[in-house]
Amino acid sequence: MPRSLRIVIVGAGVSGSGVAAALVRAGAAGGFSAEVELVDPRPSLGAGLTYEPGGDPRHRVNVPSIRMAAVTGGEGEEEDFHRWCLERGVLEADPAGWADGLHYPARSVFGRYLDDRLRPLFAAAGPVRVTHRRDRAIAARRIETPHGIGFAVELAGGRVLEADALVLCTGNPRPELPGVLAGLAGHRRVVVDPWAPGALDPLGRSDRVLIVGTGLTMGDVVSTLLGRGHHGPLTALSRHGLVPRSRPAGHADSWTDFTADPPAGIRDLLRRVRAAVADAGRQGRPWTDVLESLRLQNGTLWSALSIDERRRFQRHLRPWWDAHRFQAAPQVAHLVEAARAGGRLSVLAGRLVAASADDHPLGGGDGGGGLWIVHRPRGGETLVGRSYDALVNCTGAGHGASFRRNPVLAALAGQGLIRPDPLGMGVEVDMRHRALDAGGRPASNLFVVGPPTRGSLGEVVGASEIVPHALAVAEALASS
Ligand SMILES: Cc1cc2nc3c(=O)[nH]c(=O)nc-3n(C[C@H](O)[C@H](O)[C@H](O)COP(=O)(O)OP(=O)(O)OC[C@H]3O[C@@H](n4cnc5c(N)ncnc54)[C@H](O)[C@@H]3O)c2cc1C
């Protein structure tokens, strides 16, 4: 009987719990046993940062319940979340979740579902045992074990876990203020991290609020503020002023194959996408079919681009890709649309130029502790300065800060065991999710799953994209 593998997974969100669930299934299928330590201070399994059970019920999943990924990964479980919602009466209890005959539950509901399914799966006796350590990993180092090179993972509570293999599933790093706003950090009405519970509480209902960023988090913030009776003017600003599309009701079918001869540059990629959309239109197909092809093939497409081309994509195409790819639940999209039409929200395209924690640089303000923000409208030369009472940073995950702010990543990078990808989006991995060391060599027993791999592997962001990656890593571990 081979010895049980000791595996430590850092992070118990969709990625970490997805790996653990796939390991349990691999064990049940036979020939593999493991002791898995799933480290995360959060009480619930699977929810991570995104689907926290206590989150605002107005924050909805952007995929209908019937198409939300089955993180537990079992056969025939594709519609498991929807069935779970039906069994628990979630859909009737939340009539506002319906749009175009589909239901978009609150993200917190998906968190409850994940915990509900994962807990018994992990508690069941079997060849793979999963223990949830409610703690934070603060360091990790390489050690020699009787069975080869492994890891010692240090937890904040003092425990040290020894592992034959380490899987990093640390997720989306918390948002950081863009450089131009750095001087506003610490201001009582500047919300650096809108994903934190109660982040918007310091805002007054009549505040003139500047929302920096116009993506999905902007939609969440507008939903929360309007839902709690905010009546002050809201302004949202981003470089292009693009807001997420509303999720169309129809099911998108992947239809174009871009991978047979993947474009080597973004110009070529853009040309072919435009041609495919035009072709789709001629055949009476929606543009979302082309987008679905890109979503499913993005790993191959991304790996065919040189680092310079990837950088160009980030600089020039990212805003368009995000606005089309990360569609909003229809309720959220309609709310944003209605707020714009009713003059409650204005969306501006432009670049932030300066900011100060004073309501006017020349004085003469009302002394109310306002903010003076200057931006350059897109395509314009003249600077525009305006006073606001509050600012909410909706610029998304602070990828650049992940190594600095996550102690386990910092410790591993400090020893040269992992390194940032060249785009600074996360941890560099090879196509098999193995972390590359400072010299670019892949480690056989150090894996990364989820958003930190997107600089290397493409779009590993949504739950449905993460699940296959989690499965691949579990298979690699089970066969090691
Ligand atoms: C605001 C928001 C809304 C989203 N909405 C959707 C949606 O509707 N549909 C969709 O498909 N996708 C959505 N996503 C995408 C999301 O990235 C994935 O769906 C998925 O939840 C990511 O899971 P994860 O486990 O990789 O990361 P996370 O959910 O970020 O979880 C990572 C976990 O790692 C833990 N962790 C980190 N460092 C340590 C450490 N040192 N020690 C111990 N634990 C640690 C954290 O506590 C956290 O629980 C959304 C993302 C965000 C940010």
Side-chain angles (χ1 to χ4, degrees), residues 17-375:
S17 296
V19 174
L23 287 168
V24 171
R25 299 234 182 252
F32 168 66
S33 63
E35 295 288 335
V36 179
E37 303 270 3
L38 188 54
V39 182
D40 197 316
R42 289 174 202 274
S44 39
L45 293 167
L49 171 78
T50 317
Y51 309 107
E52 276 186 307
D56 186 332
R58 299 176 197 95
H59 298 175
R60 297 187 176 276
V61 290
N62 63 351
V63 177
S65 57
I66 203 142
R67 291 185 210 133
M68 226 24 217
V71 175
T72 50
E75 284 288 313
E77 286 189 359
E78 292 78 15
E79 292 179 8
D80 189 52
F81 174 49
H82 186 66
R83 277 197 298 272
W84 181 92
C85 288
L86 288 173
E87 281 159 24
R88 279 162 184 71
V90 166
L91 309 186
E92 297 93 83
D94 176 21
W98 289 102
D100 310 316
L102 297 165
H103 198 275
Y104 295 79
R107 287 208 295 274
S108 54
V109 169
F110 191 60
R112 267 173 35 218
Y113 154 77
L114 290 172
D115 192 68
D116 202 39
R117 286 291 193 250
L118 291 166
R119 214 161 273 284
L121 186 72
F122 294 165
V128 173
R129 295 220 315 251
V130 182
T131 307
H132 178 195
R133 297 265 172 225
R134 283 198 56 198
D135 208 337
R136 187 163 159 77
I138 52 166
R141 62 179 195 283
R142 272 237 143 123
I143 52 165
E144 287 208 19
T145 75
H147 315 285
I149 300 291
F151 293 91
V153 181
E154 201 181 313
L155 307 188
R159 192 185 284 265
V160 176
L161 305 173
E162 289 200 357
D164 302 305
L166 176 58
V167 189
L168 302 172
C169 301
T170 50
N172 292 297
R174 289 198 170 273
E176 291 235 302
L177 280 180
V180 66
L181 300 178
L184 302 183
H187 188 283
R188 69 194 159 89
R189 286 193 181 164
V190 172
V191 178
V192 178
D193 176 7
W195 299 340
L200 302 179
D201 291 354
L203 272 57
R205 289 197 179 169
S206 54
D207 278 359
R208 298 160 298 168
V209 180
L210 175 64
I211 301 170
V212 179
T214 58
L216 288 176
T217 301
M218 179 274 289
D220 285 345
V221 165
V222 170
S223 307
T224 299
L225 289 178
L226 295 185
R228 62 161 72 163
H230 189 94
H231 50 81
L234 304 176
T235 306
L237 170 77
S238 68
R239 270 196 297 152
H240 298 272
L242 295 169
V243 299
R245 301 292 188 106
S246 176
R247 164 96 42 200
H251 188 64
D253 288 315
S254 171
W255 166 68
T256 319
D257 183 9
F258 294 100
T259 58
D261 170 27
I266 61 163
R267 263 175 201 275
D268 190 23
L269 174 64
L270 198 57
R271 190 183 53 74
R272 283 169 60 179
V273 169
R274 284 196 175 125
V277 171
D279 201 21
R282 279 191 293 275
Q283 304 208 25
R285 284 173 169 272
W287 61 271
T288 43
D289 281 6
V290 178
L291 189 101
E292 181 66 358
S293 314
L294 289 167
R295 184 182 79 78
L296 295 173
Q297 298 161 25
N298 89 85
T300 313
L301 296 176
W302 189 250
S303 62
L305 296 177
S306 66
I307 300 299
D308 278 348
E309 287 299 314
R310 291 181 194 181
R311 221 170 254 129
R312 245 172 241 136
F313 177 90
Q314 288 297 101
R315 204 174 311 129
H316 303 296
L317 291 190
R318 172 62 65 188
W320 274 276
W321 170 250
D322 284 354
H324 290 80
R325 157 73 184 93
F326 298 110
Q327 296 154 359
Q331 295 82 350
V332 178
H334 295 158
L335 182 105
V336 167
E337 236 171 72
R340 291 178 78 177
R344 308 289 310 280
L345 166 70
S346 47
V347 176
L348 308 177
R351 196 177 278 276
L352 285 170
V353 175
S356 69
D358 184 2
D359 45 11
H360 195 286
L362 302 177
D366 60 9
L371 306 163
W372 179 252
I373 310 287
V374 181
H375 79 275

